[in-house]
Amino acid sequence: TMRNQETAVHSSQTMEPFTIAVFPDTQFYCDTRLKLSSKWGNGDLRHYFLKQTRWVLENRERLNIAFLVHEGDIVQTDAPEEWAIAREAMSILEGKVPYCMCLGDHDMGFKRTDTNEYGGEKAVNRNTQFDNYFPLETFAKRREFGGTFESDRHGNSWYQFVAAGMKFLIISLEFN
């Protein structure tokens, strides 16, 4: 019957496989001040960040990428030049693949010191350049954007999307 055909079509659509892509710890790709990646002899690694976002874009249809979650440690030391690299890389996905970004300890409160081998302390406070490069106003216009905990900061936010007939809620909470 027509009703059974509609149910079969609906069931097959809702069972379609999908992917949630994940980016963990891209800070070495953005590291311009401490250059900690140089200990491996690799030099400037920003091209890896760009290649990853291009790969997600190029494979979004083949893998049915429904959403991308960046788990945090986006940059190394909360420096403007590092955030500019992250912004360049993530802009490849703008309007094409929905995504959210979570702030890790490297993404906030960096204070330069000579007291350790890393040249500074991270997460000494909640200050971050994140909102300058990934403005709340831009994310608020997106269909998947749900809201933020604080009205003037983007660090703690939530997102929603539907894939395979299931509703998903992504909550992005900043470090500490």
Side-chain angles (χ1 to χ4, degrees):
T1 67
M2 181 63 116
R3 179 177 215 127
N4 289 343
Q5 289 174 349
E6 289 174 4
T7 302
V9 168
H10 179 68
S11 295
S12 68
Q13 288 175 343
T14 60
M15 299 308 291
E16 183 179 332
F18 67 94
T19 302
I20 297 175
V22 179
F23 281 179
D25 299 273
T26 56
Q27 76 259 29
F28 284 116
Y29 305 149
C30 299
D31 185 359
T32 59
R33 295 197 304 180
L34 298 183
K35 299 185 173 112
L36 297 178
S37 62
S38 65
K39 67 183 174 186
W40 296 298
N42 296 327
D44 188 336
L45 301 178
R46 72 182 76 195
H47 62 279
Y48 289 120
F49 202 164
L50 295 166
K51 283 180 182 180
Q52 285 181 344
T53 51
R54 283 188 197 113
W55 185 91
V56 168
L57 182 61
E58 291 165 4
N59 288 278
R60 72 177 183 231
E61 289 181 23
R62 183 177 68 84
L63 297 174
N64 193 19
I65 298 175
F67 202 85
L68 179 136
V69 176
H70 194 305
E71 294 181 337
D73 289 347
I74 303 161
V75 299
Q76 187 71 273
T77 63
D78 190 39
E81 57 270 28
E82 294 177 2
W83 283 112
I85 293 167
R87 180 71 207 130
E88 179 185 357
M90 296 304 290
S91 70
I92 292 169
L93 304 175
E94 287 300 321
K96 298 171 183 117
V97 178
Y99 69 89
C100 72
M101 303 175 84
C102 186
L103 296 177
D105 60 336
H106 285 265
D107 302 322
M108 58 178 57
F110 184 79
K111 180 176 146 190
R112 198 155 186 71
T113 66
D114 294 327
T115 59
N116 67 33
E117 65 180 305
Y118 302 113
E121 299 294 327
K122 54 194 185 310
V124 297
N125 56 45
R126 293 180 65 218
N127 296 335
T128 179
Q129 298 288 320
F130 176 68
D131 289 307
N132 297 335
Y133 292 86
F134 296 93
L136 174 58
E137 303 81 42
T138 301
F139 278 74
K141 294 174 186 172
R142 296 179 180 175
R143 184 180 57 187
E144 68 276 3
F145 183 78
T148 59
F149 176 69
E150 298 162 303
S151 62
D152 62 338
R153 294 189 75 223
H154 183 200
N156 297 298
S157 52
W158 64 276
Y159 301 80
Q160 56 191 348
F161 65 95
V162 176
M166 297 180 284
K167 295 178 182 178
F168 288 85
L169 173 67
I170 304 287
I171 300 172
S172 175
L173 300 175
E174 67 187 13
F175 174 79
N176 210 12

